[in-house]
Amino acid sequence: MSTAEVARQAPDGARSVPLSGHVGFDSMPDQLVNKSVGQGFCFNILCVGETGVGKSTLMDTLFNTKFEGDPTKHSQPSVQLRSSTYELQESNVRLKLTVVNTVGFGDQINKEESYKPIVDFIDEQFEAYLQEELKIKRTLHSYHDTRIHACLYFIAPTGHSLKSLDLVTMKKLDSKVNIIPVIAKSDAITKIELAKFKIKICSELVSNGVQIYQFPTDDETVAEINSAMNGHLPFAVVGSTEELKIGNKMMKARQYPWGTVQVENENHCDFVKLREMLIRVNMEDLREQTHARHYELYRRCKLEEMGFKDTDPDSKPFSLQETYEAKRNEFMGELQRKEEEMRQMFVLRVKEKEAELKEAEKELHEKFDRLKKLHQEEKKKVEDRKKLLDDDLNQFKQKKMAMELLQSQGQQAGGSTTLKKDKERKN
Amino acid sequence: NVRVAREVGLFPAPGADFSYVGIDAILEQMRRKALKKGFELNIMVVGQSGLGKSTLMNTLFKSKVSRRSTQAPPEERIPKTIEIKSVSHDIEEKGVRMKLTVIDTPGFGDQINNKNCWMPIMKFINDQYELYLQEEININRKRRIPDSRVHCCVYFIPPTGHCLRPLDVEFMQRLSKVVNIVPVIAKADTLTLEERDFFKQKIREDLRAHGIDVYPQKEFDEDAEDRATNERIREMIPFAVVGSDQEYQVNGRRLLGRKTKWGTIEVENTAHCEFAFLRDLLIRTHMQNIKDITSSIHYEGYRVRRLNESNAQSNGIAEHDVSASEI
């Protein structure tokens, strides 16, 4: 047995020990990635912007597919959210992409409540996740996560400044979702106007305290590119699913009489930057921020609203437990009340039925009595008649006997002539 | 679609095929995140003293990670009751950082009367689940809940060559329900290959007869491929291992081994013992899976029991599952 090695004491009490050979746990990231590939990924994008600003087209361009849906009309009475889920696959990665569109945003005359359906929708997704997390028997690892990971906010290309609707909406959303503002249809703005526009937008966002999503700069691998990109926000994008032949290649572009805007040309617009940041570099971080920051905030607020508190470390009660119990009691009470109600209803019904049946029984009895009486009367009648007949019969018998007696007497006394005579008389 | 292989952070070269969206870049993003976060692994070793538990842990992780190595024991003593001693180390390999915690259980099986010796161990495992649960249901909870749950319990079977002892059966029966158990035949260099095969077969029969589900459990095989891989592992369980932290010169190479008068047992030689299979299972291929089963099956099971029993206690009614969403 060798003596103990002197080892450094790390802050959390674990010591750092050197390895004397290859152990093999460097395969852990691969194991983790393999598991995730097996499970598939979820990514949910919310597109907020006025009707006709190019949301659907941009989604189609970003993901190289034609998502379903017809362009919406401008006559929506209120803002609605339309969500569609698609399964995309690239090499061995399966992605469940959900695109949520705000339909009718900015179309109403009174836009004061426009942000509400959006906020409600986002909260609903958090709520659904929270409910699943609070369940007793839960399946979190196979739960289809519908929480919004990124919100693309489409700014109309006016070239001046943000609309008040934009400011209000973004302010309401910034604590609930990662906001990535984009300038839509940016081929309508010249380069110089665009630069001024971007500066104006950024300063307005800052002065109104709107927290947009910052690409993370803590990992050295991507810190540089992310911080550079942070400076290009909001991204000026152009979307197009039409491919035109430019030079000797087919490219996504928009053709005008005065020239062609190439979507994937970085000199023309920031589409490539958006795709890079949104998908290729920070998709995982967007998901993580949604879970670790926005969802946790929602959860905390919701639980505090429901009346929980974390007590101090020594007497940590099962606070959620208590409300489970309280709610359970309430539920049980509710159940009992319902049961009581039903029982009373049942008793009532039974009584009614009983009364009905008694009625029927009574009727039957009466009928029976009547019939019996009738029967007795009939019987009596029959008996009377029978008696009469019997009497008749008896009389007849008596008469017959008397006759026979007379005859036998006559026979003994006289001759058989009387008998004959009687016989003749009888015949 | 032809896709240009690209490093994260560079734009595609001009002229590259632009029908590539880049969804699969998420794999690289996940890898980056994992490297940054690092990993945690908590292994528990259970077995009588003298079976080579500490040595095996040191051999597995090629460093002095066991309890023995971090304390300088004045003299060897067998504790009067079972103690649970937990030691953590930060190890790093090719940029991957891992916090490894080895939980030792000195005193297990060493008493004259070993009745209920599984209890303190069961309690420890459940306590870790409880700790995690408490943190999870906090309102203000940590971004990353510290995971002290026992991912894997390596159970050391003494190389008797016969069959499982009642203590082994009792322990594994109870604990396989709350933790992943990996049984190993300790000090397997005392068995010949035939004895070893016979012993293993007997053990497998005993496990089956008592309904003991050791890792990898049949019911958690996800698909046909999984099942095939795991069946091969299940046919080898329990692994017959030999541990050593001494290197010897064998055929011009320096190898971990045990030198005896009749030869040198090479620990990593699969013809000599099955250490390499154990290492591959625990570390190189199934580590993530072991942790997943712990968190999504064992921990969830504990959570369900705990939430239900508290409900039943307070209401005095028989337990049945009511989810919060129904309430």
Side-chain angles (χ1 to χ4, degrees):
Chain A
M1 253 228 319
S2 48
T3 50
E5 271 188 5
V6 173
R8 267 189 306 122
Q9 194 80 7
D12 60 352
R15 325 142 72 104
S16 234
V17 283
L19 303 176
S20 64
H22 182 236
V23 177
F25 62 87
D26 56 341
S27 66
M28 269 305 267
D30 288 325
Q31 292 183 38
L32 185 62
V33 163
N34 282 342
K35 171 189 112 171
S36 303
V37 164
Q39 277 176 349
F41 298 91
C42 264
F43 195 57
N44 309 318
I45 303 183
L46 169 67
C47 293
V48 180
E50 295 173 12
T51 314
V53 79
K55 306 187 286 287
S56 312
T57 313
L58 187 69
M59 285 296 110
D60 288 349
T61 322
L62 262 178
F63 291 100
N64 257 342
T65 45
K66 185 89 183 69
F67 293 127
E68 303 150 8
D70 314 303
T72 39
K73 303 194 258 292
H74 287 257
S75 50
Q76 302 285 332
S78 64
V79 178
Q80 286 171 348
L81 281 99
R82 205 176 287 162
S83 140
S84 343
T85 309
Y86 308 95
E87 299 233 3
L88 307 175
Q89 178 152 5
E90 202 166 54
S91 67
N92 58 343
V93 176
R94 285 175 297 120
L95 180 72
K96 245 199 185 105
L97 175 74
T98 303
V99 178
V100 185
N101 247 318
T102 49
V103 171
F105 187 73
D107 280 338
Q108 296 78 30
I109 293 176
N110 181 357
K111 297 181 252 219
E112 273 179 6
E113 302 286 292
S114 289
Y115 69 88
K116 259 184 145 278
I118 305 175
V119 169
D120 288 343
F121 181 83
I122 296 177
D123 280 345
E124 271 162 38
Q125 312 316 309
F126 284 147
E127 183 64 32
Y129 190 88
L130 181 63
Q131 286 304 322
E132 181 66 30
E133 202 188 14
L134 286 182
K135 272 197 192 153
I136 293 186
K137 266 215 175 93
R138 59 191 190 178
T139 47
L140 273 179
H141 52 275
S142 55
Y143 177 75
H144 177 214
D145 189 2
T146 54
R147 299 174 294 181
I148 303 293
H149 301 123
C151 170
L152 289 180
Y153 196 94
F154 288 72
I155 300 168
T158 58
H160 297 166
S161 59
L162 285 173
K163 299 190 184 158
S164 44
L165 172 65
D166 295 336
L167 278 170
V168 164
T169 311
M170 279 203 265
K171 194 85 180 77
K172 292 280 179 193
L173 293 178
D174 69 354
S175 59
K176 293 196 173 285
V177 73
N178 301 315
I179 300 184
I180 301 177
V182 296
I183 301 172
K185 296 193 169 176
S186 63
D187 50 347
I189 319 179
T190 66
K191 226 181 172 109
I192 304 168
E193 286 170 354
L194 193 61
K196 276 197 270 181
F197 192 25
K198 281 194 184 184
I199 294 173
K200 192 79 183 25
I201 292 175
C202 284
S203 69
E204 282 195 324
L205 288 175
V206 164
S207 58
N208 281 283
V210 174
Q211 303 264 14
I212 56 173
Y213 176 72
Q214 293 295 309
F215 303 118
T217 49
D218 45 358
D219 182 354
E220 324 81 50
T221 337
V222 290
E224 208 183 299
I225 186 178
N226 274 345
S227 57
M229 287 298 149
N230 278 329
H232 280 113
L233 283 169
F235 292 131
V237 294
V238 173
S240 170
T241 45
E242 282 174 28
E243 294 207 339
L244 301 167
K245 199 167 173 105
I246 297 166
N248 55 349
K249 278 191 274 98
M250 295 299 285
M251 282 195 192
K252 293 197 264 266
R254 286 175 63 77
Q255 189 155 60
Y256 293 107
W258 48 89
T260 312
V261 180
Q262 294 158 30
V263 169
E264 277 156 320
N265 184 334
E266 291 207 58
N267 289 327
H268 290 194
C269 74
D270 294 333
F271 172 81
V272 171
K273 295 191 176 76
L274 174 67
R275 182 179 57 196
E276 192 72 17
M277 288 293 104
L278 183 66
I279 304 175
R280 296 183 190 177
V281 177
N282 297 307
M283 203 197 295
E284 183 57 31
D285 186 69
L286 283 163
R287 280 154 35 110
E288 174 152 358
Q289 292 294 326
T290 306
H291 178 68
R293 191 144 49 96
H294 300 297
Y295 168 71
E296 284 297 310
L297 181 64
Y298 174 84
R299 179 179 173 274
R300 208 177 311 143
C301 294
K302 195 74 200 301
L303 292 181
E304 274 168 10
E305 197 183 283
M306 294 210 297
F308 292 107
K309 276 182 270 293
D310 279 339
T311 58
D312 53 335
D314 350 278
S315 66
K316 261 205 173 72
F318 229 28
S319 52
L320 267 174
Q321 190 61 19
E322 276 166 17
T323 303
Y324 272 26
E325 280 156 33
K327 284 224 161 146
R328 208 168 199 273
N329 286 337
E330 209 184 287
F331 181 62
M332 285 296 156
E334 183 76 28
L335 275 182
Q336 272 172 355
R337 204 176 48 78
K338 280 220 166 94
E339 196 177 338
E340 198 47 50
E341 234 176 73
M342 285 180 71
R343 188 176 311 150
Q344 286 184 355
M345 180 85 121
F346 179 70
V347 166
L348 203 70
R349 287 264 176 83
V350 165
K351 278 209 177 105
E352 279 174 32
K353 199 72 181 182
E354 232 172 38
E356 263 176 62
L357 284 175
K358 271 211 168 83
E359 265 303 314
E361 196 181 354
K362 206 160 122 198
E363 256 176 74
L364 267 176
H365 274 295
E366 278 174 19
K367 198 165 173 189
F368 180 68
D369 284 339
R370 269 203 312 273
L371 276 177
K372 195 166 168 192
K373 214 157 129 198
L374 217 68
H375 179 248
Q376 274 177 346
E377 278 171 25
E378 287 284 312
K379 194 172 175 191
K380 190 143 187 297
K381 274 199 203 145
V382 167
E383 273 177 16
D384 285 344
R385 287 200 56 197
K386 187 174 182 211
K387 196 148 179 272
L388 275 172
L389 280 174
D390 276 344
D391 284 343
D392 274 345
L393 195 64
N394 280 341
Q395 273 181 352
F396 179 70
K397 273 196 181 146
Q398 278 176 358
K399 273 196 187 156
K400 186 176 176 199
M401 262 190 2
M403 274 274 121
E404 280 173 6
L405 203 64
L406 266 171
Q407 275 175 3
S408 61
Q409 279 176 353
Q411 237 182 357
Q412 281 167 8
S416 51
T417 37
T418 28
L419 253 168
K420 275 191 196 157
K421 274 191 186 161
D422 280 329
K423 270 193 182 164
E424 281 163 27
R425 227 192 313 137
K426 271 194 184 146
N427 290 341
Chain B
N1 281 334
V2 173
R3 280 189 301 283
V4 178
R6 42 186 303 289
E7 280 173 44
V8 169
L10 297 179
F11 293 136
D17 186 347
F18 288 110
S19 56
Y20 168 59
V21 175
I23 298 173
D24 55 356
I26 194 171
L27 298 183
E28 190 52 44
Q29 298 171 30
M30 285 203 89
R31 200 174 303 240
R32 251 194 297 126
K33 184 172 120 182
L35 281 179
K36 206 170 113 201
K37 248 176 37 177
F39 297 91
E40 288 170 305
L41 184 69
N42 308 316
I43 296 192
M44 179 185 264
V45 285
V46 180
Q48 286 168 248
S49 61
L51 283 181
K53 306 190 290 290
S54 306
T55 313
L56 188 71
M57 283 298 117
N58 289 348
T59 320
L60 264 176
F61 292 100
K62 296 244 166 57
S63 63
K64 311 257 182 257
V65 292
S66 68
R67 170 188 58 98
R68 292 266 177 89
S69 327
T70 55
Q71 311 159 351
E75 68 262 345
E76 274 317 298
R77 91 217 198 293
I78 293 180
K80 291 266 165 39
T81 56
I82 300 170
E83 298 170 347
I84 314 261
K85 295 252 174 75
S86 172
V87 180
S88 295
H89 297 275
D90 280 336
I91 46 182
E92 192 239 307
E93 191 171 57
K94 298 218 175 103
V96 179
R97 287 175 301 114
M98 183 153 90
K99 179 163 175 232
L100 172 71
T101 305
V102 178
I103 302 146
D104 203 346
T105 53
F108 177 84
D110 289 333
Q111 324 302 328
I112 293 178
N113 181 359
N114 286 309
K115 194 170 149 76
N116 294 338
C117 63
W118 50 268
M119 271 187 158
I121 298 176
M122 177 86 115
K123 179 173 184 313
F124 178 82
I125 292 176
N126 283 333
D127 284 347
Q128 307 317 305
Y129 291 146
E130 182 67 27
L131 269 176
Y132 194 90
L133 181 61
Q134 287 294 347
E135 184 60 38
E136 197 188 28
I137 61 173
N138 262 347
I139 295 184
N140 282 311
R141 53 190 189 183
K142 299 201 179 86
R143 192 152 179 157
R144 187 182 173 183
I145 304 178
D147 191 359
S148 63
R149 301 172 293 189
V150 178
H151 299 127
C152 175
C153 173
V154 183
Y155 187 78
F156 286 72
I157 300 170
T160 61
H162 299 166
C163 60
L164 287 178
R165 304 163 302 159
L167 173 65
D168 302 329
V169 170
E170 169 103 53
F171 180 86
M172 285 200 272
Q173 223 170 14
R174 290 185 187 272
L175 265 84
S176 59
K177 299 199 168 60
V178 295
V179 73
N180 296 320
I181 296 201
V182 176
V184 297
I185 300 174
K187 297 200 164 169
D189 49 341
T190 59
L191 298 168
T192 65
L193 289 182
E194 292 85 19
E195 286 168 349
R196 181 213 292 181
D197 286 338
F198 174 76
F199 191 25
K200 280 211 221 181
Q201 210 185 321
K202 283 298 289 158
I203 292 177
R204 279 199 291 272
E205 277 170 25
D206 279 343
L207 291 176
R208 249 195 306 273
H210 288 98
I212 301 173
D213 253 331
V214 298
Y215 183 82
Q217 298 93 334
K218 256 203 174 99
E219 56 184 301
F220 306 136
D221 287 340
E222 276 174 27
D223 51 36
E225 197 187 313
D226 233 23
R227 205 168 309 132
T229 318
N230 290 344
E231 270 307 314
R232 266 177 272 140
I233 297 169
R234 284 190 278 265
E235 278 158 22
M236 279 201 273
I237 282 180
F239 295 113
V241 295
V242 173
S244 166
D245 40 16
Q246 300 273 22
E247 285 189 340
Y248 293 99
Q249 196 85 355
V250 177
N251 293 339
R253 283 158 42 224
R254 285 198 67 77
L255 295 171
L256 283 174
R258 284 174 63 74
K259 191 163 180 172
T260 64
K261 287 248 158 56
W262 47 92
T264 305
I265 303 156
E266 296 159 41
V267 167
E268 276 165 317
N269 186 339
T270 51
H272 290 195
C273 77
E274 294 178 328
F275 168 81
F277 295 127
L278 177 70
R279 177 202 54 207
D280 287 348
L281 178 75
L282 281 185
I283 301 178
R284 295 187 186 175
T285 57
H286 283 67
M287 198 195 281
Q288 184 61 46
N289 183 247
I290 286 174
K291 292 174 64 172
D292 289 339
I293 304 251
T294 306
S295 75
S296 55
I297 312 271
H298 294 304
Y299 168 70
E300 289 296 316
Y302 174 81
R303 183 175 174 277
V304 168
R305 285 194 299 273
R306 184 78 169 85
L307 293 181
N308 273 339
E309 92 191 359
S310 309
N311 276 344
Q313 269 170 19
S314 65
N315 292 338
I317 50 179
E319 36 184 82
H320 67 279
D321 284 351
V322 177
S323 75
S325 56
E326 288 168 23
I327 290 176

